Amino acid sequence: MTPNALNFSGGPGALPPIVLNQTRDAIAALPETGLSVLGMSHRSDWFRAILDEAERNIRQLLGLSDRYAVTFVQGGSSLLFATIPMNFATDAYAPPEYVNSGYWSSRATAEAGRVRACRIAWDGQRGGYRELPALDRLDVAADAAYLHYVTNETVEGLQFAEPSRAPSVPLIADMSSDFLSKPLAADRFAMIYAHAQKNLGPAGVTVALIDREMLARIPGDLPHILDLRTQIAHRSNYNTPPVFAIYVLTLVTRWLRDDIGGLAAMQRINETKAQRLYGTLDALRDAVAVHAALPWRSRMNAAFTFGDERLDRAFVDAAGERGIVGLEGHRSLGGLRASLYNAVTPEAVETLCETLTEFSVQRV
């Protein structure tokens, strides 16, 4: 297998081979236009059709109703960390509440706090971000503007189960690293957002699904570019959008729909991959430590360590000899991380597991 096939990076993540091939051809010339996708106008009929298809595919994959607006924005989740409270945390409501469950949720909380005072509904920092709370048991003010959480913490390898019911306040979720990895009861959320560079394509575009009832909260004095109604009203084409990233996202949604067979099939594949990897890590016993406590282990990102920085580096080198890339842990945590995003194949995971076992026997 090529390094593209053995890419376990936390982001940008692996892309399906069929999408890579289609993208390569489109960079030279789109079959529909004869022009490179990199030179296509965002005002062209071709791109309008791509935007429409991207939205249609996402709605079909999720079974998403017209209650939700679908828009494609720029700036990644990092920009939305600030614009969400600007749009929805008005003085008519109590402060928004945040679940601080890892590196990225702590970033979201800090940015929101620069806009408006926030309340921490749960904080996992003291425990080293190794476990998660039950969302339906959190003590959240009845008049809170919203409750925000990150569904999958890529750095620490933690993943929430989907809430069993809609909470009493609007629920907003950053799903950047597990969006479209499994079916989703979207109607339990007031807003879902996800940047592309995990499961959806290259960086540059962020998908936002917004309950239209939330739009009435938005104050009228926001700069137009920060007002989410602007993006919706202009159908994701207010200012020059990332045409290339949205095109690749559309190819990925076609792949999920046509080649994989939908999100239930994708979930089965992802669960098989995660079971194989965690089974291997657990079989190594004391040689390897998985960061996340067992009930909250992520099916998207496994963070682990051999307990010695030299051994971790040696394993990265050994894996590299097999063509495996992207195993370095996040700079804030160190250690190792294997990301099992949608395009990572079971065969690639099998190669990683064989390498882990061989390395453990030889070096640990």
Side-chain angles (χ1 to χ4, degrees), residues 74-141:
Q74 300 178 59
S77 291
S78 294
L79 182 58
L80 283 171
F81 291 164
T83 54
I84 286 170
M86 287 180 184
N87 280 260
F88 302 132
T90 64
D91 291 337
Y93 300 91
E97 306 213 11
Y98 280 71
V99 176
N100 184 22
S101 56
Y103 178 85
W104 285 110
S105 56
S106 67
R107 289 278 298 269
T109 303
E111 278 299 285
R114 297 172 68 89
V115 177
R116 187 179 177 198
C118 301
R119 178 177 178 268
I120 305 300
W122 186 88
D123 194 347
Q125 184 175 17
R126 288 187 179 179
Y129 297 132
R130 296 180 184 275
E131 59 183 13
L132 298 172
L135 289 172
D136 58 0
R137 297 180 183 176
L138 295 177
D139 182 18
V140 178

Side-chain angles (χ1 to χ4, degrees), residues 59-195:
R59 288 189 182 279
Q60 180 180 339
L61 287 165
L62 292 173
L64 191 68
S65 73
D66 289 338
R67 168 184 158 191
Y68 292 87
V70 177
T71 188
F72 303 97
V73 298
Q74 300 178 59
S77 291
S78 294
L79 182 58
L80 283 171
F81 291 164
T83 54
I84 286 170
M86 287 180 184
N87 280 260
F88 302 132
T90 64
D91 291 337
Y93 300 91
E97 306 213 11
Y98 280 71
V99 176
N100 184 22
S101 56
Y103 178 85
W104 285 110
S105 56
S106 67
R107 289 278 298 269
T109 303
E111 278 299 285
R114 297 172 68 89
V115 177
R116 187 179 177 198
C118 301
R119 178 177 178 268
I120 305 300
W122 186 88
D123 194 347
Q125 184 175 17
R126 288 187 179 179
Y129 297 132
R130 296 180 184 275
E131 59 183 13
L132 298 172
L135 289 172
D136 58 0
R137 297 180 183 176
L138 295 177
D139 182 18
V140 178
D143 57 347
Y146 55 80
L147 174 64
H148 179 282
Y149 79 114
V150 174
T151 56
N152 184 77
E153 293 281 6
T154 61
V155 173
E156 296 84 6
L158 296 160
Q159 188 174 28
F160 279 90
E162 188 173 324
S164 57
R165 55 184 173 82
S168 57
V169 301
L171 185 62
I172 296 180
D174 177 353
M175 295 189 181
S176 292
S177 51
D178 59 359
F179 187 62
L180 299 189
S181 69
K182 56 187 175 61
L184 170 67
D187 59 357
R188 294 172 185 162
F189 296 85
M191 179 176 177
I192 294 166
Y193 62 102
H195 57 238

Side-chain angles (χ1 to χ4, degrees), residues 26-361:
I27 288 174
L30 287 161
E32 306 97 317
T33 68
L35 293 174
S36 168
V37 65
L38 301 179
M40 283 300 302
S41 169
H42 63 293
R43 300 298 182 191
S44 65
D45 291 341
W46 173 85
F47 184 59
R48 180 69 260 165
I50 287 295
L51 281 171
D52 290 344
E53 184 189 348
E55 175 177 345
R56 188 168 60 249
N57 290 351
I58 288 171
R59 288 189 182 279
Q60 180 180 339
L61 287 165
L62 292 173
L64 191 68
S65 73
D66 289 338
R67 168 184 158 191
Y68 292 87
V70 177
T71 188
F72 303 97
V73 298
Q74 300 178 59
S77 291
S78 294
L79 182 58
L80 283 171
F81 291 164
T83 54
I84 286 170
M86 287 180 184
N87 280 260
F88 302 132
T90 64
D91 291 337
Y93 300 91
E97 306 213 11
Y98 280 71
V99 176
N100 184 22
S101 56
Y103 178 85
W104 285 110
S105 56
S106 67
R107 289 278 298 269
T109 303
E111 278 299 285
R114 297 172 68 89
V115 177
R116 187 179 177 198
C118 301
R119 178 177 178 268
I120 305 300
W122 186 88
D123 194 347
Q125 184 175 17
R126 288 187 179 179
Y129 297 132
R130 296 180 184 275
E131 59 183 13
L132 298 172
L135 289 172
D136 58 0
R137 297 180 183 176
L138 295 177
D139 182 18
V140 178
D143 57 347
Y146 55 80
L147 174 64
H148 179 282
Y149 79 114
V150 174
T151 56
N152 184 77
E153 293 281 6
T154 61
V155 173
E156 296 84 6
L158 296 160
Q159 188 174 28
F160 279 90
E162 188 173 324
S164 57
R165 55 184 173 82
S168 57
V169 301
L171 185 62
I172 296 180
D174 177 353
M175 295 189 181
S176 292
S177 51
D178 59 359
F179 187 62
L180 299 189
S181 69
K182 56 187 175 61
L184 170 67
D187 59 357
R188 294 172 185 162
F189 296 85
M191 179 176 177
I192 294 166
Y193 62 102
H195 57 238
Q197 63 266 26
K198 310 295 186 183
N199 281 317
L200 304 179
V205 62
T206 301
V207 180
L209 318 179
I210 307 169
D211 187 337
R212 296 181 192 275
E213 289 187 4
M214 295 291 288
L215 302 179
R217 297 186 176 200
I218 301 175
D221 59 352
L222 288 181
H224 290 306
I225 193 68
L226 301 177
D227 187 328
L228 290 169
R229 293 172 301 187
T230 301
Q231 302 297 337
I232 295 167
H234 288 81
R235 300 173 65 196
S236 304
N237 212 340
Y238 172 66
N239 62 319
T240 307
V243 172
F244 175 72
I246 293 172
Y247 173 69
V248 179
L249 180 151
T250 306
L251 297 180
V252 171
T253 59
R254 289 178 190 172
W255 170 74
L256 283 168
R257 182 194 64 197
D258 300 336
D259 296 83
I260 297 300
L263 299 187
M266 191 74 258
Q267 181 180 31
R268 290 191 293 271
I269 294 169
N270 286 332
E271 287 177 348
T272 298
K273 293 186 300 186
Q275 289 168 3
R276 179 70 177 97
L277 177 56
Y278 284 120
T280 298
L281 293 172
D282 289 341
L284 299 180
R285 300 184 182 275
D286 294 339
V288 172
V290 177
H291 181 81
L294 182 61
W296 298 279
R297 287 179 176 178
S298 168
R299 290 183 294 277
M300 293 285 98
N301 313 93
F304 60 98
T305 178
F306 283 97
D308 183 301
E309 186 177 341
R310 292 171 299 175
L311 283 175
D312 289 342
R313 287 200 303 266
F315 178 69
V316 169
D317 293 340
E321 293 174 0
R322 298 282 296 270
I324 299 171
V325 298
L327 292 175
E328 297 84 355
H330 190 270
R331 61 187 180 278
S332 67
L333 187 66
L336 301 162
R337 175 176 55 172
S339 296
L340 308 178
Y341 299 134
N342 286 352
V344 175
T345 65
E347 292 77 16
V349 175
E350 188 65 32
T351 300
L352 174 60
C353 291
E354 291 171 357
T355 306
L356 277 164
T357 301
E358 292 169 5
F359 180 83
S360 180
V361 170

